[in-house]
Amino acid sequence: MSDIQTKYHINDADQLVEANEYLLDVREPFEYEMGHIAEADNVSVNEIEERLDELPKDRRIHVYCQRGKRGANAEAILKRNGFDAVNLEEGYSAYTGKYDSANEAAEENAPGSNENVELNPSRVKVEASGLQCPGPLLKVNEVMGELEPGQQMEITVTDFGFCTDVEAWARKTGHSVLKNEKSGDKVVVVLQKNAPQSKTDGEDHQMVETKDGATMVVFSGDMDKALASFIIATGAKSMGKDVTMFFTFWGLNVIKDPNAPKKKKSGLDKAFSMMMPKSASKLPISNMNMFGLGSKMIQYVMKKKKVDALTEMIEKADKLGVKMVACTMSMDIMAIDEDELLPNVNFGGVGTYLGDAENGNLNLFI
């Protein structure tokens, strides 16, 4: 590659990996977990300025995101701080699309292959138009759980990011994507449920121990950050991960029970209770809260765009089996009693969190 090159294309990515160049994925950790370019490190563009000391000053940094915009922002931040950086044009979606097209061409030209994939006309049809991420993925996970191996489902959505998400989900869960195409303003995907495969190591068929959990510390009491944490948690759970959410300090307000009986408190305990939100629906947002008006505005927009409210996301996470743990030390400091929290919340300390984190390969602090 030329030293004066300022941009590069997806077609250069594999050459960069082979040349041991430094690649940086600036998407969110859950996006990175669902698929990334080999050997790439991950630092979200939202955290990059706080984590500059983790990046190499003596190497060119080749950044990429999903479609290119966040990568361009990351490139600008890095250059502003004295790094040599270039952005992967078009992003990871174009990179994976290149291989999808190649695989489709190979299948079409393979001996004995049909022009179109044979689909079972009796497949289950699911209409999920209007649902926003991770709604379509959760719907796929729910329906697949009710099917028998060999059965097919067809799902129609309006979220174009689902094209990439469902491919990653299928790879992770061992099912097959038979059709994945855009039709007008919708995406139509056909999947087939496959029987679970045992994980073996070589010819002696020994079980291989794998770490496939996800843990996150929810420290923030902001509605938008809490919503992001539950989007990631339910997405990870739908992909087969054991998920633990550890709520501490202000994050405890996220899991308060709006129907909890009123508690008589005095002194500082009473002051804390008066100042803190009563439940998830009363949380402020991190920017432009405007004395509660901003929170109401974002809830209105979410409803209009058919994005689940935070309270609904919490219910879905609970039904999926996401483990929610309240930090007992923080509860004591924040004057929060057990019966003020949602019924299915667990209680524990740092040992509980670290024990679950030990079995995970994804750990987040929100």
Side-chain angles (χ1 to χ4, degrees), residues 157-215:
V157 306
T158 48
D159 175 14
F160 288 104
F162 184 67
C163 290
T164 303
D165 288 353
V166 74
E167 294 284 353
W169 180 88
R171 287 194 299 270
K172 187 70 175 177
T173 56
H175 302 304
S176 300
V177 178
L178 305 183
K179 177 181 177 182
N180 184 359
E181 63 182 34
K182 297 176 183 177
S183 177
D185 59 351
K186 295 189 177 183
V187 174
V188 180
V189 176
V190 177
L191 301 107
Q192 179 170 290
K193 182 169 183 175
N194 296 328
Q197 299 293 317
S198 299
K199 295 179 180 179
T200 59
D201 183 14
E203 297 180 356
D204 55 356
H205 299 285
Q206 296 296 314
M207 293 298 292
V208 177
E209 181 180 357
T210 61
K211 293 185 176 182
D212 197 24
T215 53

Side-chain angles (χ1 to χ4, degrees), residues 108-166:
E108 289 175 1
N109 296 325
S113 64
N114 296 322
E115 184 176 349
N116 296 308
V117 177
E118 184 177 349
L119 303 177
N120 186 341
S122 63
R123 59 187 178 274
V124 176
K125 293 189 177 183
V126 179
E127 177 57 59
S129 296
L131 290 182
Q132 303 295 323
C133 177
L137 207 57
L138 297 180
K139 181 62 69 174
V140 167
N141 189 67
E142 176 187 341
V143 174
M144 272 294 195
E146 300 173 355
L147 301 183
E148 297 295 329
Q151 282 189 287
Q152 297 175 4
M153 68 171 291
E154 177 183 314
I155 183 168
T156 303
V157 306
T158 48
D159 175 14
F160 288 104
F162 184 67
C163 290
T164 303
D165 288 353
V166 74

Side-chain angles (χ1 to χ4, degrees), residues 44-274:
S44 165
V45 68
N46 296 317
E47 299 179 348
I48 202 164
E49 289 190 281
E50 288 75 35
R51 298 175 61 182
L52 292 172
D53 57 341
E54 300 177 25
L55 305 176
K57 275 271 190 178
D58 58 344
R59 302 179 68 185
R60 171 169 286 180
I61 300 176
H62 303 83
V63 300
Y64 70 89
C65 62
Q66 189 68 11
R67 292 183 175 84
K69 185 174 181 180
R70 283 177 289 174
N73 291 339
E75 177 188 9
I77 292 171
L78 290 169
K79 286 182 174 179
R80 199 163 57 235
N81 286 276
F83 289 86
D84 179 11
V86 290
N87 180 34
L88 170 60
E89 290 186 272
E90 297 183 340
Y92 186 71
S93 60
Y95 177 80
T96 54
K98 176 180 69 171
Y99 289 104
D100 290 342
S101 299
N103 290 336
E104 288 173 7
E107 290 174 2
E108 289 175 1
N109 296 325
S113 64
N114 296 322
E115 184 176 349
N116 296 308
V117 177
E118 184 177 349
L119 303 177
N120 186 341
S122 63
R123 59 187 178 274
V124 176
K125 293 189 177 183
V126 179
E127 177 57 59
S129 296
L131 290 182
Q132 303 295 323
C133 177
L137 207 57
L138 297 180
K139 181 62 69 174
V140 167
N141 189 67
E142 176 187 341
V143 174
M144 272 294 195
E146 300 173 355
L147 301 183
E148 297 295 329
Q151 282 189 287
Q152 297 175 4
M153 68 171 291
E154 177 183 314
I155 183 168
T156 303
V157 306
T158 48
D159 175 14
F160 288 104
F162 184 67
C163 290
T164 303
D165 288 353
V166 74
E167 294 284 353
W169 180 88
R171 287 194 299 270
K172 187 70 175 177
T173 56
H175 302 304
S176 300
V177 178
L178 305 183
K179 177 181 177 182
N180 184 359
E181 63 182 34
K182 297 176 183 177
S183 177
D185 59 351
K186 295 189 177 183
V187 174
V188 180
V189 176
V190 177
L191 301 107
Q192 179 170 290
K193 182 169 183 175
N194 296 328
Q197 299 293 317
S198 299
K199 295 179 180 179
T200 59
D201 183 14
E203 297 180 356
D204 55 356
H205 299 285
Q206 296 296 314
M207 293 298 292
V208 177
E209 181 180 357
T210 61
K211 293 185 176 182
D212 197 24
T215 53
M216 60 182 71
V217 177
V218 184
F219 177 86
S220 173
D222 295 327
M223 178 183 292
D224 44 340
K225 294 179 181 178
L227 183 63
S229 71
F230 276 95
I231 289 173
I232 297 170
T234 53
K237 185 66 179 178
S238 72
M239 295 183 73
K241 289 182 176 292
D242 292 323
V243 182
T244 296
M245 303 179 75
F246 187 72
F247 296 86
T248 183
F249 287 97
W250 311 113
L252 290 169
N253 293 315
V254 178
I255 52 173
K256 279 186 174 179
D257 185 352
N259 301 313
K262 291 185 177 180
K263 308 282 292 187
K264 288 187 177 181
K265 300 179 182 181
S266 60
L268 285 175
D269 288 358
K270 182 177 181 179
F272 265 116
S273 295
M274 291 175 64

